[in-house]
Amino acid sequence: MPWFLWLLAAAALGAAEFFTLTLGFGLLAGAAMVAAVVAGAGIGVAGQLVAFGATAAVGFVVVRPVAMRHMAQQPLTREGTDALIGRRAEVVQEVTGTRGLIKLSGEEWSARALDESLVIPVGALVDVMEIEGATAIVHPRELLP
């Protein structure tokens, strides 16, 4: 029943991966599954250990670097309020450091100035610097570097 022990090891490593999200334990769990298959085929302990080691090595040398690169990349498209950052808007009601109103992507948004000392007049164009809840934090276009 060595295949059953490998399956238990795979389950334990899979659980460890679930809690750590490092990808290392997941690769080891996959290697333990390969070793379980090898054990189920009747190959001895030495063959099982070689299968486990080889699969783990391939996982760490080939699979993990590729997966880590993909996880580090920014998404190609921004969604929700993230998509509004960097957009141009028009001031509908004077914007100060505490209140104001802008027209952004066809909708009216509450807004406030990034620089609290600024007063941005009606009709001015602004850039959305960030979104805090339902309020756009804006900065006048002509003052940007």
Side-chain angles (χ1 to χ4, degrees):
M1 299 246 311
W3 61 270
F4 185 72
L5 296 176
W6 283 112
L7 285 179
L8 286 177
L13 290 165
E17 176 63 32
F18 178 78
F19 289 109
T20 63
L21 299 176
T22 60
L23 191 60
F25 289 118
L27 292 171
L28 291 175
M33 291 292 289
V34 170
V37 169
V38 169
I43 298 174
V45 175
Q48 296 168 30
L49 291 174
V50 167
F52 177 79
T55 306
V58 168
F60 279 102
V61 172
V62 177
V63 176
R64 190 167 193 272
V66 172
M68 296 305 279
R69 258 194 319 271
H70 283 283
M71 287 173 30
Q73 289 179 346
Q74 293 290 331
L76 296 176
T77 59
R78 294 186 297 173
E79 299 175 342
T81 58
D82 287 339
L84 300 174
I85 296 172
R87 309 264 327 259
R88 181 181 303 164
E90 183 179 351
V91 176
V92 175
Q93 181 183 37
E94 184 177 77
V95 175
T96 65
T98 57
R99 62 182 172 83
L101 196 63
I102 62 171
K103 186 154 194 132
L104 173 63
S105 295
E107 298 177 345
E108 290 188 351
W109 278 71
S110 60
R112 67 181 174 83
L114 179 64
D115 181 354
E116 293 181 4
S117 66
L118 287 178
V119 175
I120 307 168
V122 173
L125 294 178
V126 292
D127 285 321
V128 177
M129 306 306 280
E130 59 183 288
I131 302 286
E132 283 184 3
T135 302
I137 312 303
V138 298
H139 200 281
R141 289 198 55 85
E142 65 272 358
L143 297 178
L144 291 176

